[in-house]
Amino acid sequence: MTKTERTYLDWNATAPLLPAARDAFVAALDMVGNPSSVHGEGRALRMLVEAARRDVAVLVNAAPANVIFTSGATEAANLVLTPNYRMGRTPLAIGHLYASEIEHPAIREGGRFARENVTTIPVTRAGVVDFDALETLLHNHDEATGLPMVAVMLANNETGIVQPVKAVAEIVRRHGGLLVVDAVQAVGRVPVDIEALDADFLILTSHKLGGPKGAGALVSRGEVLMPVPLIRGGGQEKGHRSGTENPAALAGFGAAARSATEEPAARNSRIAGLRDALEKGMRAATNDVVIHGAEVERVANTSFFSLPGLKSETGQIAFDLEGIALSAGSACSSGKVGQSHVLTAMGFDAALGGLRVSLGPGSTEADVERFLAAFSRVVSRRRAA
């Protein structure tokens, strides 16, 4: 391998920019004006923003009017995770947030809820929400404080495990609560339909789909029940998120959303084949590799594994020196590499952590072969140490 040859296997952190998204982004940069202006230039940009809104809505079977654009998933999470809501013009209190133990840090931090008003929902050793625990938590919820809110991700960013969100929704409905679903890692990989999931809100972001960074969305089920705005100002996004929209980033987001709806079954079947070959090769190289979540439903592109005696940080550096870009989990923690809260929640000894390989539409058999060759060398050095 030459020093410049690299293999990118970190699509869950960010997907390479799609050509269609790049073209849409660059074309929008050449357009002058403000999408809130009423002159021709402004109206042209408004049409571009609204076209992107329609594309994102189609991706999750939502009404375009229910798509609120943000700067990304973290902002969308902080917008929706608040005790302060309105039902039309009437204030509505949300008393407590219940978030699964395996949520992304953007959710685990609780948004605008006070820390004492955030409770974690346990998961099973298989990494799936514990239904009995959720039922108990909601049964014991103090209704005098306001409605309960439950946050459960559709696909885990580390393990790729798909959560039974529809079943979670049934429990939440019985207790009159709201359901927020982080669909960031799910869109384009499994069907995401806000109506079928029975979710009140979905969180999305552009760069996981192959769109530009700096664009995301909060998608609501309707227009009546909405959170009090996080960013106030000029009243853009129907007053839900003030600030001049970023037409270039949104144009790229829309293009990426359109691409995600094109033959997803065939695309994901091919990616699943690559992932399965990768895991088969790891097991052939060593019998002590642990692949987390392999016994339950996962998105097709993700493999999260541990090797006894290999720390996450050491492993990540070792693979990087081999020319392989992979991750130790979430990439949204300022470069920190530490214990996996997901493995801890699943009941594993997370002291050593795990490593995540994530594939995408551009991944190839050659990428898998290069990874497995590097994996064998890392395993051999670990044994010799």
Side-chain angles (χ1 to χ4, degrees):
M1 175 180 291
T2 65
K3 291 183 179 180
T4 58
E5 188 176 4
R6 299 283 299 175
T7 300
Y8 188 75
L9 299 176
D10 202 15
W11 289 66
N12 283 10
T14 199
L17 191 63
L18 290 169
R22 181 186 295 108
D23 291 346
F25 180 87
V26 172
L29 288 176
D30 289 331
M31 299 174 67
V32 67
N34 186 311
S36 295
S37 297
V38 298
H39 49 59
E41 289 83 355
R43 293 197 305 273
L45 281 171
R46 173 53 55 192
M47 290 176 62
L48 183 149
V49 169
E50 296 310 314
R53 198 185 310 277
R54 290 191 295 272
D55 289 331
V56 171
V58 168
L59 183 62
V60 295
N61 189 33
N66 296 339
V67 175
I68 303 168
F69 284 131
T70 66
S71 64
T74 296
E75 185 193 327
N78 279 268
L79 171 58
V80 73
L81 300 181
T82 175
N84 301 312
Y85 271 70
R86 288 189 178 277
M87 180 72 76
R89 295 178 179 270
T90 304
L92 179 69
I94 308 299
H96 205 89
L97 170 63
Y98 303 91
S100 84
E101 288 184 330
I102 59 171
E103 295 300 302
H104 187 279
I107 301 293
R108 281 165 51 86
E109 288 298 312
R112 292 182 275 173
F113 282 92
R115 294 302 303 172
E116 61 267 23
N117 292 328
V118 180
T119 298
T120 56
I121 309 164
V123 298
T124 67
R125 190 169 178 82
V128 175
V129 169
D130 186 324
F131 292 160
D132 291 338
L134 174 60
E135 188 80 57
T136 298
L137 286 170
L138 294 184
H139 176 77
N140 293 332
H141 172 75
D142 184 359
E143 295 181 358
T145 64
L147 300 178
M149 174 181 284
V150 174
V152 173
M153 63 192 344
L154 182 50
N156 184 259
N157 54 300
E158 293 190 13
T159 63
I161 293 172
V162 176
Q163 295 298 313
V165 168
K166 179 62 176 177
V168 170
E170 292 174 1
I171 298 173
V172 174
R173 298 300 170 221
R174 283 202 299 271
H175 295 277
L178 300 182
L179 177 60
V180 175
V181 176
D182 173 358
V184 163
Q185 297 289 353
V187 286
R189 296 169 183 163
V190 295
V192 180
D193 183 323
I194 192 169
E195 296 292 338
L197 290 172
D198 198 14
D200 293 292
F201 298 94
L202 297 180
I203 295 171
L204 308 175
T205 197
S206 166
H207 72 103
K208 307 293 186 179
L209 292 169
K213 301 174 184 67
L218 176 66
V219 183
S220 64
R221 187 88 169 272
E223 295 185 81
V224 177
L225 177 64
M226 294 299 295
V228 170
L230 172 66
I231 299 177
R232 302 175 185 271
Q236 290 86 351
E237 297 297 299
K238 295 185 178 180
H240 299 302
R241 198 276 188 185
S242 292
T244 300
E245 295 95 341
N246 183 344
L250 295 179
F253 189 7
R258 288 195 304 276
S259 295
T261 63
E262 297 170 357
E263 300 182 347
R267 180 178 64 247
N268 289 322
S269 176
R270 187 187 73 83
I271 293 172
L274 294 176
R275 193 270 312 274
D276 292 346
L278 183 146
E279 292 184 345
K280 181 179 179 181
M282 285 197 293
R283 291 190 175 104
T286 177
N287 58 13
D288 60 357
V289 63
V290 179
I291 300 173
H292 302 285
E295 70 279 9
V296 295
E297 182 184 0
R298 293 177 292 168
V299 288
N301 79 314
T302 304
S303 181
F304 191 48
F305 67 93
S306 297
L307 282 169
L310 182 67
K311 293 183 178 181
S312 295
E313 184 173 13
T314 303
Q316 193 170 10
I317 293 171
F319 279 102
D320 190 45
L321 292 174
E322 292 278 353
I324 307 293
L326 47 70
S327 175
S330 172
C332 301
S333 302
S334 300
K336 294 182 291 184
V337 178
Q339 295 185 3
S340 166
H341 73 278
V342 175
L343 291 184
T344 299
M346 292 169 64
F348 290 94
D349 179 2
L352 297 178
L355 294 171
R356 181 188 68 192
V357 173
S358 50
L359 309 163
S363 299
T364 65
E365 292 181 2
D367 291 337
V368 172
E369 291 170 0
R370 284 193 288 269
F371 167 79
L372 290 175
F375 181 83
S376 294
R377 289 190 290 270
V378 170
V379 168
S380 295
R381 289 197 294 269
R382 178 182 62 108
R383 288 171 175 163

